[in-house]
Amino acid sequence: MIGLPMYRSEDFVESVLESLLALEHESFAVIAVDDCSHDSTVEIARRFADADRRLTVEANAERLGMIGNWNRALELAYERHPGFEYFAWASDNDLREPAWIDVLVRALEDDPRAALAYSRFGTIVAGEKVVPTHEKWLYETQDQADPFERFKAAERMRAGPIMYGLHRRRTLDRIGKVPSVLLSDFVYLSCLALHGTFVQAPEVLWYRDLGRTTGSSTGRQRAALFADPPALTYLPVSLQHTIWLLRCLVVEDRRPPGLGRGRSLYIGIFYLGNWWRRLARRAQSQARKRRRKLEKRLRKRIAPRRKRLVRSRAGRRLARLLRRL
């Protein structure tokens, strides 16, 4: 089952749908959900739906924002295809190779503990697929049986590419919707790591168009992710994530079997402390960079004056005096 949230993507949606409908798998369906686009995105998608029964197109009555549209796609998957076993979100500007589903389904079937499988990705530059020439990142937890160890290891993952992997339904049933917070994919996948392992397929099976990114500022993210930003999103991101984690694991009891409430509370506190430690390390690194830049600038200013001093008579006398000392 594939959910495709769409928003103002008329320039990309045709190639995206061609890519999804060309996937080599015996049985799958695609639900495309448009979030009140003011262009021809819906019309293009419906032309594809008329020609292929595997595709269903829905249009929201009012704008939900990116996260709301992700959750709407998941809700429609439960309503229209209640028997699905695996689910994936697809971006409205990324392309997948035909073998994408088959490879990831095999990875999940080979490891019953796995909650999610994903592949390496390439990039789309000027309309052309670019395959990376080296392994840029790898995040797997197959060798980690303890949920807390997997949770701690999630600190080094790149959440964006992993979020668009293939999810096992039973973990989605347990965790629920994507949280309405900033950087939601990171905290969502961190919680998902408690429920099972992550598997990376070595093949490059999908391509990201990095030209359409939300942006790094919190204001731009808030505007893109939410039609009406919740009050929680104006808190520091670390507090947003910790509040959601504690509500999910402790209050609503959506934690994996065997994980007690006390340890869940500790996980929330650990997450908050770990986030602040990362911020402190980043601040120290930035301070060192600023200091090196300042020292380099000062050396450039002082060097000409030092040369003039050495060339002068007083400078030569001072140099001889220093050599004697």
Side-chain angles (χ1 to χ4, degrees):
M1 189 68 233
I2 299 174
L4 174 63
M6 303 183 300
Y7 182 62
R8 296 194 305 186
S9 53
E10 63 180 0
D11 295 334
F12 309 93
V13 68
E14 185 171 345
S15 57
V16 170
L17 288 173
E18 288 175 350
S19 167
L20 292 176
L21 296 174
L23 291 171
E24 298 171 350
H25 192 67
E26 57 185 2
S27 177
F28 72 95
V30 180
I31 293 182
V33 187
D34 182 72
D35 197 24
C36 297
S37 299
H38 300 298
D39 56 15
S40 59
T41 299
V42 176
E43 289 74 15
I44 295 172
R46 283 178 174 157
R47 286 204 304 268
F48 277 84
D50 292 339
D52 196 320
R53 297 178 60 184
R54 295 175 298 174
L55 173 63
T56 304
V57 179
E58 294 285 339
N60 295 332
E62 58 183 16
R63 185 169 179 267
L64 302 178
M66 188 183 297
I67 291 180
N69 212 24
W70 283 351
N71 289 326
R72 180 58 180 156
L74 182 58
E75 289 174 3
L76 289 171
Y78 280 112
E79 292 175 9
R80 304 291 177 82
H81 304 273
F84 73 88
E85 188 176 359
Y86 304 109
F87 180 84
W89 282 282
S91 172
D92 60 357
N93 59 324
D94 295 345
L95 304 178
R96 281 161 171 73
E97 293 291 350
W100 181 79
I101 289 185
D102 283 337
V103 171
L104 298 188
V105 167
R106 282 198 301 270
L108 290 174
E109 289 177 346
D110 291 342
D111 187 355
R113 299 179 306 144
L116 179 150
Y118 69 103
S119 74
R120 293 179 61 204
F121 73 94
T123 56
I124 301 173
V125 180
E128 298 293 330
K129 295 179 180 179
V130 179
V131 178
T133 56
H134 61 282
E135 181 66 71
K136 291 186 176 181
W137 47 268
L138 173 67
Y139 175 72
E140 286 189 325
T141 56
Q142 288 176 284
D143 58 342
Q144 295 174 331
D146 182 50
F148 184 56
E149 292 301 319
R150 295 196 299 266
F151 182 84
K152 290 194 295 183
E155 178 186 1
R156 59 184 173 83
M157 71 177 171
R158 290 184 64 180
I162 300 176
M163 190 70 177
Y164 289 106
L166 191 64
H167 300 250
R168 199 184 294 275
R169 174 179 174 159
R170 68 167 182 256
T171 55
L172 294 178
D173 292 345
R174 192 70 179 169
I175 294 180
K177 296 180 179 180
V178 179
S180 296
V181 296
L182 298 179
L183 302 180
S184 57
D185 51 358
F186 187 85
V187 67
Y188 189 78
L189 291 173
S190 296
C191 187
L192 193 70
L194 293 169
H195 291 259
T197 60
F198 290 3
V199 182
Q200 185 191 71
E203 301 92 338
V204 176
L205 296 176
W206 69 293
Y207 296 84
R208 304 196 71 187
D209 188 344
L210 300 179
R212 294 186 69 203
T213 54
T214 302
S216 57
S217 71
T218 55
R220 292 181 65 182
Q221 287 187 44
R222 199 178 289 115
L225 296 179
F226 311 102
D228 183 18
L232 181 64
T233 61
Y234 292 91
L235 294 175
V237 174
S238 57
L239 290 180
Q240 296 179 43
H241 289 187
T242 303
I243 290 171
W244 180 80
L245 269 175
L246 293 176
R247 185 169 60 202
C248 176
L249 298 176
V250 179
V251 179
E252 299 175 358
D253 195 19
R254 288 187 276 131
R255 53 184 179 269
L259 188 67
R261 185 162 294 177
R263 198 175 188 199
S264 298
L265 181 62
Y266 172 77
I267 285 173
I269 297 172
F270 172 85
Y271 184 91
L272 180 62
N274 204 38
W275 187 279
W276 283 106
R277 282 192 293 272
R278 288 200 303 271
L279 290 179
R281 289 197 298 267
R282 187 180 304 170
Q284 291 173 356
S285 175
Q286 291 174 348
R288 285 194 295 269
K289 289 180 180 178
R290 287 195 297 268
R291 187 167 60 249
R292 284 195 293 267
K293 286 183 180 179
L294 180 59
E295 290 173 352
K296 187 176 181 180
R297 194 178 304 147
L298 289 174
R299 282 196 297 269
K300 285 183 177 179
R301 288 185 178 182
I302 294 173
R305 298 177 184 177
R306 183 183 298 169
K307 289 180 180 178
R308 288 196 298 269
L309 179 62
V310 170
R311 290 170 186 165
S312 66
R313 182 180 299 177
R316 289 195 296 272
R317 290 177 181 174
L318 179 60
R320 286 196 297 269
L321 179 61
L322 291 175
R323 281 197 295 271
R324 291 174 185 174
L325 296 176

